[in-house]
Amino acid sequence: MKLHEYQSKAIFSRYGVPIPKGRMTTMASEAKHFAEELGGKVVIKAQVLVGGRGKAGGIRLAKTPKEAEELATAILGMEIKGLPVRKILVDEAVNFEKEIYLGITNDRTARRPVMMASAAGGVDIEEVARISPEKIIKIHIDPLLGLREYQARDLAVSIDLPRPLWRSFAEVAYGLWKAYTDNDATLAEINPLVITSDKKLLALDGKMIVDDNALFRHPDLAEMRDLDAEDWAEVEARKFGLSYISLDGEIGCMVNGAGLAMATMDIIKLCGGEPANFLDIGGGAGAEKVAAALRIILSDPKVKAVLFNIFGGITRCDEVARGILTALAEVKPNIPMVVRLVGTNAEEGRRLLAEANMITAETLLEAAQKAVSVVKGEAK
Amino acid sequence: MSILVNKQTRLIVQGITGNEGLFHTTQMLAYGTNVVAGVTPGKGGEWVLDGKIPVFDTVRSAVEMTGANTSVIFVPARFAPDAILEAADAGVSLIVCITEGIPVQDMMRVRSYLDQKRVRLIGPNCPGLLTPGEAKVGIIPNNIAIPGNVGIVSRSGTLTYEVLYALKLAGKGASTCVGIGGDPINGTNFVDVLELFEADPHTDQVVMIGEIGGTDEEKAAEFISRHMTKPVVAFIAGQSAPPGKRMGHAGAIIEGGTGTARDKVLALEKSGVRVANHPEEIPALLN
């Protein structure tokens, strides 16, 4: 789960990371009041869960409270990469001399957290990572020992940070590490961490992604989820314990198991079609879950056919078939359905679906070919 | 013959009194696995499955009383890290964790601890292991594989069943099938299992089923070109997956341009691995 900048910075601040004074709002008129409180000169920042906000015009400097209101109105009316801006952060404007990058993430290859720092912080950090990766200094952290002070000092030295700032850099690094571990983050990032004109470190931006699997022990973070900023279908799927990702194609897929779901998408593509979604109904999915899954798939107007690929193990094919029938009775779709059931109780499942006027297939390849050809209007 | 699980496996089931634990213990017994005990804290002294299997409060007491050498874990995600550590400290040599959804930072700490011990972890978030005709530890359906000379290692669950079933239809059997799990941090990776298959006299060829995310498949490719004499056939799921989206498995995310299916396929092909276009093509690529 991604957190907004204002949420991430508030968390970092609790761990001793200095952040600018600022307030979040959804109203342009409030932006004006905040600007007055903050001394007139402020930065208005769109709060959307995508990168590249600055380049899209979602971060603007206002010199007066009146300008703050105008810019707030403009930004609140924007869409950035398809996401409407519903919230803005009004931060005091800060003069700075230098931008640093500081972040922590999980390095799955090293199987431990990695802290990264660079003297080349700012909006182009991804370019830096691509073109001159040596400018990003990495230090792995033992998950049982935690970040040690010498490691933070190592980073400070490696990025040529002026000596008087080493101590406060170590404090920021340790605060970020604590924020990352205490909140089960998979990413905690400050970019930029600036050296202000009065030679202090300040986290101008913040980003945090929290491990969805750990939300059970962070009810406070779970409440921060911004449902407005997410796809309806993905939210709905999560409610039913389904894993769903919407894609651009025309063939809806319902599969049990993530690996098999990906393989099903792949084979659709191999046969010349395009999958409309990734959907894993999980192990042991009952009729209710299957019905929810079908409703979600059919809520996508691009879907012209649905392919069911169920390999019964724990999941029983007859149970899935009943779910499909329940959903069909409820939704009454008028698009073709291709179904392949293999494994536990497959025969019973096929018998149940025989009356539902569905196209059946024996193999995965045959199922994909049939789905692609019905979409292209070649099948009878 | 086999790797990791066989007739000598003496298995305990952690979380045996839960729905999943009980159901799959029944299945494992039906397959012929030697299940010697179960563990559920607070239910020690009870017997389950018509009095056949004793339940203990701790893994330590279960191991002491039964001489178990392997443990399979069915407990919910929030208790699973502790269950893994408990099994490791109780002295079993193989731990198989079926549980899905363990927080990744927990797994980093668990893995770091296990690295200091002489114990192997398979999973988490995996279907477990199957040596056809000998033993099953986990949740792989009982009737989809026959004994044979093909070693199988996979990050997936149902996709593995699909491949086992396709092999069976083609009259080919498995020596052992190992599901290493779909999480970003796991106990055993492709290279570890390939090494075991290379050394196993009853495995003549290997099927490796990978997916997007991470660089384990690339490392496997390097290992294969340097150390494997046995032929390897592979399939990589997620060719059509968009970058930056998590495809169900927590580990299946393409981060910063690494972990694409294309990179993995290229690396494997360069190492002489035949890569199938789709799962049902695999049997035809085997000897």
Side-chain angles (χ1 to χ4, degrees), chain A residues 99-254:
Chain A
E99 293 178 287
I100 294 164
Y101 171 91
L102 184 67
I104 308 177
T105 189
N106 307 327
D107 183 339
R108 56 189 291 171
T109 305
R111 295 187 297 264
R112 48 188 53 201
V114 59
M115 183 170 261
M116 298 165 289
S118 177
V123 291
D124 292 323
I125 191 69
E126 270 133 36
E127 274 303 281
V128 175
R130 205 168 56 80
I131 296 163
S132 32
E134 75 285 352
K135 287 189 182 159
I136 297 177
I137 314 298
K138 294 180 179 176
I139 284 186
H140 285 99
I141 301 168
D142 186 311
L144 298 176
L145 289 175
L147 178 76
R148 310 302 300 188
E149 198 175 338
Y150 79 89
Q151 293 182 303
R153 200 160 50 234
D154 254 9
L155 282 177
V157 172
S158 307
I159 62 168
D160 292 324
L161 199 72
R163 194 170 286 176
L165 285 173
W166 288 0
R167 174 171 285 265
S168 50
F169 179 82
E171 280 164 12
V172 170
Y174 191 72
L176 191 64
W177 161 255
K178 285 294 283 176
Y180 162 90
T181 48
D182 284 3
N183 297 287
D184 273 295
T186 56
L187 175 80
E189 184 181 81
I190 303 171
N191 186 34
L193 174 67
V194 299
I195 303 176
T196 59
S197 314
D198 54 351
K199 311 282 188 259
K200 290 199 169 79
L201 291 176
L202 190 66
L204 280 203
D205 201 348
K207 183 176 172 183
M208 204 157 136
I209 303 177
V210 178
D211 185 351
D212 285 316
N213 285 337
L215 286 176
F216 70 85
R217 58 188 172 208
H218 302 289
D220 50 328
L221 295 176
E223 269 178 31
M224 288 185 188
R225 192 186 285 279
D226 189 346
L227 295 176
D228 281 352
E230 294 184 57
D231 188 45
W232 169 85
E234 288 175 25
V235 174
E236 184 73 5
R238 195 162 49 232
K239 215 158 65 190
F240 286 93
L242 304 161
S243 178
Y244 171 90
I245 291 161
S246 121
L247 303 168
D248 296 328
E250 305 173 313
I251 300 175
C253 312
M254 189 192 300

Side-chain angles (χ1 to χ4, degrees), chain A residues 106 108-109 111 180-181 185 211 213 216-217 243 245 247 256-260 265-266 278 340 342 363-365, chain B residues 78 101 103-106 108 111 155-156 158 162 165 214-215 219 238-240 242 246-249 251 280:
Chain A
N106 307 327
R108 56 189 291 171
T109 305
R111 295 187 297 264
Y180 162 90
T181 48
D211 185 351
N213 285 337
F216 70 85
R217 58 188 172 208
S243 178
I245 291 161
L247 303 168
N256 62 326
L260 189 57
M265 287 159 47
D266 293 348
F278 165 93
R340 173 186 179 244
V342 186
T363 67
L364 178 53
L365 184 64
Chain B
R78 64 181 73 189
V104 64
Q105 290 199 19
D106 282 344
M108 289 195 291
R111 178 66 206 258
R155 273 168 74 185
S156 172
T158 46
E162 186 81 60
Y165 186 66
T215 53
K219 286 188 178 163
Q239 314 254 7
S240 57
R246 212 166 279 267
M247 291 292 146
H249 288 165
E280 288 160 342

